[in-house]
Amino acid sequence: MTLYRHPPPTVRIVHSGHACNVEEERHAERVYTIREGETLELTCLVTGHPRPQIRWTKTAGSVSDRFQDSSVFNETLHITKIQRHQGGRYYCKAENGLGSPAIKSIRVDVYFLDDPVVTVHQSVGEAKEQFYYERTVFLRCMANSNPPVRYSWHRGRDVLSQGSDKGVEIYEPFFTQGETKILKLKNLRPQDYANYSCIASVRNVCGISDRNIVFKLTNKTVSPSIKLLVEDPIVVNPGQTVSLVCITTGGEPKPTLSWVSSSDSLPEKSVVKGGTLTLPAITSDEAGVYSCVATNNVGNPAKKSTTIVVRAMKKGRFWITPDPYHNDDNIQIGREVKISCQVEATPPEELTFGWLKNGRALRSSERMVITQTDPDTSPGTTNLDIIDLKFTDFGTYTCVAALKGGGIPEISIDVNISSTTVPPNLTVPRGKSPLVVREGDTVELECLVSGKPKPIILWSRADKEAPMPDGTLQVESYDGVLRIVNVSREMTGSYRCQTSQFNGFNVKPREAVVELIVQYPPTVEPVSLEMRQGLGRPVAMNCRVLRAHPSRVLRYEWRLGNRLLHAGHFDQSDETEYTVKSLNREGWGEYTCDIINEAGAGRCTFLVTGKAYPPEFYYDTYSPLWQNRPRVYGFKLQWTQMNPNAVDRIVAYRLGIRQMGQQRWWEQEITVEGTITKGELITHNLTELIKPEAYEVRLTPITRFGEGDSTIRIITYSAPVNPHLREFHCSFEEEPICMFTQDKNDDFDWTRHSAATRDTKYTPNTGPSGDRSGSKQGFYMYIETSRPRKEGEVARLVSPFFNVAPKNPYGITNPPAYCFGFFFHMYGKHIGTLNALLRQKGQAATEGPTWSLSGNQGDHWKQAKVSIHPTASFQVVLEGIRGPGIEGDIAIDDVTLEEGECRDLPAVKHFCGILHTESQFGVCPIL
């Protein structure tokens, strides 16, 4: 076992998915370009021990972007069918508690191009003669895009450019630079009536093709006009079906009609057909302003609106007002009394009131004066003033509210005026204040209301400006009772009940106060805590009170299981402690501390155990997988132990292993000699693993206590290419071509091809008839040397970067070796040269190729291998140079890169260019 220093995390972002382009380290920024609708996939590769936790976060791509998934706790960020608003900067953060977190970012640029839209505006000059007007027409073309769009205009088949026609100006307004292109037709001429095409282009980036739109300008082109075949407003009854009809009265091209509502969206059950909007079984919620909008992209849209009013009446209430000229709230014979009746109505102008006395209609007179508020005010109110009240005036008065249009049931409100009609009074029943309850109970706060009629009671908080339990500032009660379900400690306080004027007397409110006291058991910490300790060591447990009501007379009880260990009462302190001086086997278990008051108990729980903490697998082992036999492989398993000194010495590990998809575990014990220290790297070699199966490995520490916490990891046969290269193979079967890229500084590009899709006009006597395996469907890369290619022109294909991992963590001593191999096909009398080069990061280009071959090698695929010894992150480059004629196509396939020096070199003989230097191993010396 060796001592290993825990490294802080490192992080790197690699990409797959459907990238158009990835710009690396441009102004210290990585930009990932992707087409809208494609799949974004970014993987965060991390190192560090313990294994860092990975978190993806995103900054908003725009102010309006309220991204839902603000963070993803996973190595791979995967977004299918990416949308434009999902562009922006993505951060990968890795932290393992050692040093500062490692953070890398990449900016995702989502490319798109919407269909352009042409809008037309016209200006008319002053009349020079009776029948002549100077007219100027503006055609504006707009398209949403990223990157910025470029526009071009055509009239018929002719391209319009600035200066090509004196009657046409093309310009971009300063305030919308790059977003629109305006075509100005000055002093409109007969030849200006034509088809105009606007072509929007983003230069085929990400394979986004140009979009175009055609607008036909004629002498009949005119902005839209419409007419609504409905009244304004439309007053209807609930449940009716309403149809709004909108027709066009002008416009060329033919306008498109749409309906919008003042509530942003049309009702779900609405039906739009042509210019007709139908609202079946309309409700009050669907009332509002509805607008018909006509557009044809000429001039401004036409808009006409109407208001739908749905009849409704609600909240019928009354109140009685005693004679205001006497300082007495009672009703008395010989004095004035007023009865008021109020109803909320829609529309308010249709509201009518009628009065009955004892069921018979009542008309306004000198002693019975009936008045009504302005019909436009809401809620509508009517008053019945009884002047000089007589005994014969006692009886039941009924206020009847109705709407003139009908269709809505009337509202009748009865008010009894008699010798027993008296103003209200409020009292709190004996024993109902203060009210002491337990948290979670259902409680009823009660105010007794006397008088006739009994008014509505309003409940509110009396001790502070705070909402009631239902969130409102006031709660109405018809019986004087406030019912609170599941009462909480925050509801402790004073509650005011007071009379309202509604359904009672319009006098100074009567009020009373009820005190509510909510008792709750002690809140304690810690609620649950695991304490790991070795035998013979002390264990101190502390339980503290945070809140309790009542807070006095608190007592505590310590137990181990059901056995009482210690009990007592609190004095001035708010915590209690229990200590096990020397832990023995009987001392392991669950300790509880109950802190008790009148409302119940709060409990601290301590699980005292000798269980060892889990081991932490080390994922950054260099070259953990080895193969020395054809059918099996070995794996170097490494781990450190979390907090090894917290419990008794770890005497062994139980290793479990099972093949993925199988049920049975195979187990063995790994004996540990001596004491494991923190950070010590432990190694165990797994052998006889069957290729290419993956395995699940479980590791469990064992102490005198028994088994500790287990840790599980997966071992796979195929190790990743990065961060440490194991084995790379590319046969060019997929379009991304294994992250190979075309060099930007060469003369032309390599082409991906298969014989099955080869053009019938291909050049004969050169190039392969299939891929390296002989398949017509298989793909390979080749250089096309037909015209316009010239002799000496170069095409370079560049691999992705590969990291060089040091064999010790502190630097490279001996550069590692890699075997670079590929198959080539060089057939034709004009074959030029194929070179293989090594590029190292941070170093100048090598003086010459590591492998080179020239001239016709026959109509066969052959293999080349060469050992390379990079000292930094590197790329391999395949360079094709055109020969003197068109029969010079060079092809490559099955590129490989493996660790170690090249073995089993191909025994082929070929000639190295014009020097005719013979090579046995496919490697030409550089002379």
Side-chain angles (χ1 to χ4, degrees):
M1 292 185 289
T2 56
L3 187 64
Y4 179 80
R5 184 165 54 90
H6 286 247
T10 67
V11 64
R12 191 162 58 89
I13 297 174
V14 297
H15 46 79
S16 53
H18 302 103
C20 303
N21 184 39
V22 181
E23 297 182 30
E24 304 285 354
E25 300 174 9
R26 182 175 67 86
H27 310 301
E29 176 178 56
R30 298 182 69 204
V31 182
Y32 182 102
T33 304
I34 188 170
R35 180 173 175 171
E36 186 173 52
E38 300 287 2
T39 297
L40 171 71
E41 192 166 282
L42 300 174
T43 301
C44 202
L45 298 179
V46 300
T47 64
H49 185 71
R51 191 70 171 161
Q53 183 186 33
I54 299 171
R55 179 184 178 195
W56 280 98
T57 59
K58 176 182 180 295
T59 59
S62 65
V63 175
S64 62
D65 180 14
R66 299 291 183 260
F67 51 92
Q68 290 82 19
D69 298 329
S70 59
S71 58
V72 176
F73 294 91
N74 199 349
E75 289 186 3
T76 301
L77 177 70
H78 186 92
I79 302 175
T80 56
K81 296 184 179 178
I82 192 169
Q83 299 300 304
R84 60 195 65 178
H85 70 272
Q86 292 172 306
R89 181 170 294 285
Y90 287 83
Y91 292 88
C92 174
K93 179 179 180 181
E95 54 185 334
N96 64 354
L98 298 174
S100 300
I103 301 175
K104 290 286 184 181
S105 69
I106 188 168
R107 182 163 63 84
V108 175
D109 207 1
V110 181
Y111 278 6
F112 61 90
L113 174 61
D114 292 343
D115 289 328
V117 176
V118 170
T119 56
V120 182
H121 296 272
Q122 175 180 295
S123 64
V124 180
E126 295 181 1
K128 294 182 178 178
E129 296 179 9
Q130 186 175 2
F131 300 105
Y132 176 76
Y133 286 86
E134 180 184 294
R135 295 197 299 169
T136 298
V137 171
F138 298 89
L139 278 72
R140 179 191 294 259
C141 187
M142 296 180 65
N144 296 318
S145 75
N146 182 35
V149 69
R150 289 182 185 172
Y151 300 93
S152 56
W153 281 99
H154 292 221
R155 180 166 57 200
R157 296 184 177 180
D158 300 330
V159 177
L160 292 176
S161 58
Q162 189 65 33
S164 63
D165 186 332
K166 292 183 179 180
V168 177
E169 286 184 14
I170 302 175
Y171 62 95
E172 297 178 3
F174 177 75
F175 56 87
T176 57
Q177 189 74 27
E179 297 176 4
T180 182
K181 194 88 164 186
I182 291 181
L183 193 68
K184 181 179 180 182
L185 308 178
K186 302 179 293 184
N187 193 11
L188 207 60
R189 306 160 299 176
Q191 63 263 38
D192 292 328
Y193 295 121
N195 287 337
Y196 290 85
S197 301
C198 171
I199 301 172
S201 173
V202 289
R203 282 80 63 201
N204 204 39
V205 295
C206 281
I208 299 175
S209 57
D210 295 350
R211 305 286 180 91
N212 75 301
I213 188 171
V214 178
F215 185 88
K216 185 177 182 181
L217 182 68
T218 70
N219 58 359
K220 295 181 181 179
T221 301
V222 68
S223 57
S225 58
I226 56 174
K227 183 178 180 181
L228 283 183
L229 304 182
V230 292
E231 299 175 354
D232 184 31
I234 304 171
V235 182
V236 296
N237 293 326
Q240 275 187 240
T241 294
V242 180
S243 292
L244 307 180
V245 181
C246 177
I247 60 171
T248 57
T249 56
E252 178 66 36
K254 186 179 179 181
T256 301
L257 297 177
S258 61
W259 283 92
V260 294
S261 163
S262 56
S263 61
D264 295 333
S265 58
L266 295 174
E268 285 187 13
K269 59 186 178 182
S270 61
V271 179
V272 178
K273 189 174 183 180
T276 301
L277 169 65
T278 303
L279 304 171
I282 197 165
T283 64
S284 296
D285 293 337
E286 295 166 350
V289 177
Y290 290 80
S291 303
C292 175
V293 181
T295 57
N296 68 349
N297 293 337
V298 179
N300 295 319
K303 184 177 181 180
K304 296 281 186 180
S305 303
T306 186
T307 302
I308 298 178
V309 178
V310 180
R311 292 188 180 94
M313 286 194 300
K314 59 182 180 179
K315 285 194 175 178
R317 291 175 166 179
F318 74 90
W319 60 90
I320 301 168
T321 307
D323 193 332
Y325 299 105
H326 293 81
N327 191 19
D328 188 348
D329 290 344
N330 290 291
I331 296 174
Q332 295 188 18
I333 299 294
R335 294 184 182 177
E336 179 183 338
V337 65
K338 181 165 68 174
I339 308 171
S340 301
C341 179
Q342 186 181 82
V343 173
E344 292 183 11
T346 305
E349 65 272 13
E350 286 194 5
L351 179 62
T352 62
F353 286 105
W355 284 93
L356 306 175
K357 179 186 177 185
N358 297 327
R360 298 178 63 182
L362 193 63
R363 297 183 180 277
S364 186
S365 64
E366 289 185 0
R367 258 193 359 97
M368 299 280 188
V369 181
I370 298 174
T371 57
Q372 186 170 340
T373 58
D374 188 324
D376 289 334
T377 62
S378 183
T381 307
T382 180
N383 299 306
L384 172 62
D385 247 320
I386 304 175
I387 313 298
D388 187 17
L389 183 68
K390 299 183 182 302
F391 182 78
T392 55
D393 294 331
F394 288 165
T396 298
Y397 292 83
T398 304
C399 158
V400 180
L403 293 179
K404 293 176 184 175
I408 299 295
E410 296 178 341
I411 293 179
S412 296
I413 303 168
D414 292 335
V415 184
N416 190 57
I417 300 295
S418 69
S419 58
T420 61
T421 304
V422 293
N425 195 25
L426 275 183
T427 57
V428 177
R430 180 175 296 178
K432 292 292 187 177
S433 181
L435 201 59
V436 180
V437 296
R438 299 278 177 88
E439 190 171 41
D441 288 350
T442 296
V443 61
E444 290 186 347
L445 279 61
E446 188 176 356
C447 278
L448 291 177
V449 57
S450 60
K452 189 178 179 182
K454 292 184 178 181
I456 295 172
I457 303 300
L458 302 177
W459 284 92
S460 61
R461 294 294 293 257
D463 53 348
K464 54 186 175 182
E465 284 289 332
M468 297 291 284
D470 67 350
T472 61
L473 289 177
Q474 277 190 338
V475 175
E476 291 186 356
S477 169
Y478 286 85
D479 59 1
V481 174
L482 174 65
R483 182 181 174 89
I484 304 174
V485 178
N486 194 20
V487 67
S488 65
R489 63 194 66 178
E490 294 80 13
M491 297 176 189
T492 294
S494 303
Y495 290 79
R496 177 190 298 111
C497 61
Q498 67 179 30
T499 59
S500 71
Q501 70 179 38
F502 300 120
N503 298 358
F505 275 68
N506 182 22
V507 294
K508 182 181 178 180
R510 277 59 165 164
E511 62 179 51
V513 174
V514 176
E515 293 289 339
L516 177 63
I517 299 171
V518 180
Q519 292 185 344
Y520 53 90
T523 301
V524 298
E525 70 171 8
V527 174
S528 180
L529 180 65
E530 184 183 48
M531 304 183 74
R532 304 196 186 202
Q533 189 60 279
L535 293 173
R537 303 178 191 173
V539 180
M541 293 162 277
N542 185 284
C543 186
R544 187 160 70 94
V545 181
L546 300 178
R547 293 173 299 277
H549 191 86
S551 58
R552 293 177 291 108
V553 197
L554 291 176
R555 57 191 178 88
Y556 58 83
E557 296 176 353
W558 283 93
R559 284 184 165 82
L560 173 56
N562 294 322
R563 181 162 58 94
L564 181 65
L565 302 173
H566 182 54
H569 288 81
F570 283 102
D571 297 323
Q572 302 297 321
S573 176
D574 60 356
E575 61 185 34
T576 173
E577 184 174 280
Y578 183 79
T579 302
V580 179
K581 293 181 180 180
S582 179
L583 187 64
N584 55 30
R585 291 181 179 274
E586 291 73 29
W588 282 323
E590 185 176 88
Y591 292 77
T592 59
C593 175
D594 290 333
I595 298 180
I596 306 160
N597 69 358
E598 295 176 22
R603 171 170 286 189
C604 296
T605 301
F606 303 89
L607 180 61
V608 177
T609 173
K611 202 180 208 185
Y613 285 95
E616 294 174 315
F617 281 115
Y618 184 59
Y619 286 84
D620 298 330
T621 305
Y622 179 66
S623 298
L625 188 146
W626 74 90
Q627 313 170 50
N628 51 12
R629 288 160 58 194
R631 297 185 180 181
V632 298
Y633 67 100
F635 192 89
K636 184 191 292 184
L637 191 68
Q638 292 188 302
W639 69 91
T640 58
Q641 177 61 43
M642 182 191 294
N643 300 331
N645 301 321
V647 295
D648 291 320
R649 184 179 76 83
I650 295 170
V651 296
Y653 285 95
R654 179 166 289 117
L655 174 70
I657 185 167
R658 69 176 175 184
Q659 189 175 316
M660 295 297 291
Q662 302 292 326
Q663 297 295 320
R664 184 176 179 182
W665 286 90
W666 297 91
E667 292 190 335
Q668 70 175 100
E669 275 199 6
I670 304 170
T671 304
V672 175
E673 301 294 338
T675 302
I676 298 174
T677 58
K678 187 171 184 179
E680 186 175 353
L681 195 60
I682 305 165
T683 301
H684 180 78
N685 290 329
L686 302 175
T687 58
E688 304 300 316
L689 304 178
I690 301 170
K691 294 181 183 178
E693 301 297 334
Y695 290 86
E696 189 174 4
V697 177
R698 180 177 65 201
L699 200 60
T700 310
I702 300 172
T703 65
R704 285 191 291 174
F705 172 81
E707 291 190 356
D709 291 335
S710 299
T711 301
I712 291 179
R713 71 162 292 181
I714 305 297
I715 290 174
T716 56
Y717 172 68
S718 299
V721 173
N722 280 313
H724 305 317
L725 174 67
R726 295 278 330 151
E727 182 179 321
F728 175 82
H729 177 266
C730 183
S731 58
F732 305 111
E733 296 304 319
E734 302 295 334
E735 183 57 47
I737 60 173
C738 316
M739 297 164 60
F740 272 87
T741 55
Q742 307 280 358
D743 193 338
K744 296 180 181 178
N745 299 316
D746 57 6
D747 303 309
F748 66 108
D749 287 345
W750 287 80
T751 302
R752 178 174 171 267
H753 200 58
S754 77
T757 58
R758 185 163 59 182
D759 193 333
T760 55
K761 299 179 181 179
Y762 76 97
T763 306
N765 303 318
T766 188
S769 57
D771 74 351
R772 197 273 298 181
S773 66
S775 168
K776 297 282 188 184
Q777 280 72 37
F779 283 85
Y780 54 87
M781 301 294 290
Y782 85 109
I783 58 169
E784 172 57 67
T785 56
S786 301
R787 293 181 180 85
R789 302 275 69 85
K790 298 177 181 177
E791 184 174 3
E793 287 187 337
V794 176
R796 298 189 191 94
L797 192 64
V798 184
S799 78
F801 267 105
F802 298 106
N803 283 356
V804 174
K807 297 212 172 184
N808 70 71
Y810 307 108
I812 296 177
T813 52
N814 298 316
Y818 296 94
C819 182
F820 174 44
F822 57 92
F823 283 81
F824 61 88
H825 188 282
M826 300 172 69
Y827 168 56
K829 65 183 179 181
H830 299 137
I831 290 291
T833 302
L834 177 62
N835 293 325
L837 303 98
L838 176 67
R839 284 184 185 175
Q840 301 195 63
K841 196 168 186 178
Q843 299 180 24
T846 54
E847 293 182 358
T850 59
W851 183 97
S852 181
L853 185 62
S854 301
N856 185 358
Q857 304 298 318
D859 190 8
H860 304 287
W861 284 98
K862 300 178 181 180
Q863 188 180 24
K865 285 186 178 182
V866 60
S867 295
I868 56 175
H869 302 84
T871 58
S873 296
F874 66 95
Q875 295 170 291
V876 288
V877 181
L878 288 161
E879 179 182 75
I881 303 175
R882 186 191 189 267
I886 63 173
E887 294 181 19
D889 294 355
I890 299 174
I892 58 171
D893 201 359
D894 286 351
V895 178
T896 59
L897 194 63
E898 299 176 351
E899 281 190 343
E901 298 283 351
C902 291
R903 300 174 185 173
D904 303 323
L905 293 174
V908 297
K909 291 187 179 183
H910 59 267
F911 292 93
C912 299
I914 58 174
L915 297 174
H916 303 291
T917 303
E918 191 177 51
S919 169
Q920 294 290 332
F921 307 111
V923 181
C924 290
I926 307 303
L927 302 178

